[in-house]
Amino acid sequence: MKRIIRKNTFETNSSSSHSFSICIKDKKISHPKEINFEAHEFHNYPFDGDDMSSMQGRANYLYSIAIQCFMENKLKEALQKALPNTKLKFEHEYREIKNTYLINHQAQYAGSDLLDRVLEDSVLLINYLLDDKTDVLITGDYDYSGVTGGNDRFVIGDVKYE
């Protein structure tokens, strides 16, 4: 027997978890000459095409959440201040952003927490983007784990216990 809860609605049992772990210490990290930020949807990871272990994937995620939270200009200002000698390029494929979730709606709170923190702390912003020790985990129903924890890290979301 099929039970209909809401008529004419596609329903799914999918969920999404976005977790972040960033070193809080100021590190000597070489800054790239150029960074391209491309906003798009993060709904179907890993099929969205971003490698979250790369600077490019993390840059795209941060720019997407900034657009979703209507904080694109604040992000651009923070990036220009933190990376004065780096050429920054910004692209997005959406002409009308209103009512568009670029970050999966279940995970938007973790994404907006990340954005708030990196906007107020340039060390976190630089480390999030450029440090290869930054740990970002985007999962769905298929995997429920967490990011690396520790006293020297800022963590949002689920932490991996070993």
Side-chain angles (χ1 to χ4, degrees):
M1 179 174 152
K2 186 175 179 183
R3 185 172 174 207
I4 297 176
I5 297 172
R6 290 182 281 179
K7 291 183 180 180
N8 299 322
T9 302
F10 173 75
E11 298 191 31
T12 177
N13 189 25
S14 75
S15 62
S16 182
S17 172
H18 296 201
S19 302
F20 312 93
S21 178
I22 309 165
C23 288
I24 57 176
K25 295 178 182 177
D26 195 359
K27 302 171 102 182
K28 298 228 188 268
I29 301 173
S30 64
H31 297 186
K33 293 182 183 201
E34 182 177 303
I35 302 175
N36 296 315
F37 294 81
E38 300 173 15
H40 57 82
E41 292 180 349
F42 286 81
H43 290 283
N44 193 22
Y45 189 81
F47 308 107
D48 294 322
D50 283 291
D51 174 3
M52 297 309 289
S53 66
S54 74
M55 178 197 62
Q56 186 63 57
R58 294 187 302 267
N60 293 348
Y61 184 93
L62 192 61
Y63 187 44
S64 297
I65 195 66
I67 289 173
Q68 183 168 314
C69 293
F70 303 101
M71 297 179 72
E72 179 179 4
N73 290 333
K74 286 185 179 184
L75 175 63
K76 288 179 179 179
E77 290 170 14
L79 288 164
Q80 289 167 346
K81 187 176 179 180
L83 299 162
N85 298 319
T86 301
K87 183 178 181 180
L88 306 171
K89 291 183 176 181
F90 301 91
E91 300 176 25
H92 61 78
E93 57 192 57
Y94 300 96
R95 297 196 190 282
E96 186 67 34
I97 300 298
K98 295 176 189 171
N99 300 321
T100 299
Y101 285 109
L102 298 177
I103 306 301
N104 185 300
H105 66 280
Q106 290 100 334
Q108 68 181 334
Y109 300 109
S112 64
D113 286 349
L114 169 70
L115 179 64
D116 288 343
R117 285 305 300 264
V118 299
L119 287 178
E120 66 188 37
D121 187 334
S122 61
V123 170
L124 278 182
L125 177 58
I126 296 291
N127 287 350
Y128 167 79
L129 284 173
L130 305 179
D131 185 8
D132 62 356
K133 302 290 188 222
T134 295
D135 192 3
V136 177
L137 183 64
I138 299 176
T139 64
D141 290 336
Y142 56 87
D143 181 20
Y144 187 79
S145 53
V147 293
T148 306
N151 292 336
D152 65 337
R153 304 185 75 75
F154 168 69
V155 177
I156 297 173
D158 301 313
V159 179
K160 182 178 5 183
Y161 297 102
E162 296 179 354

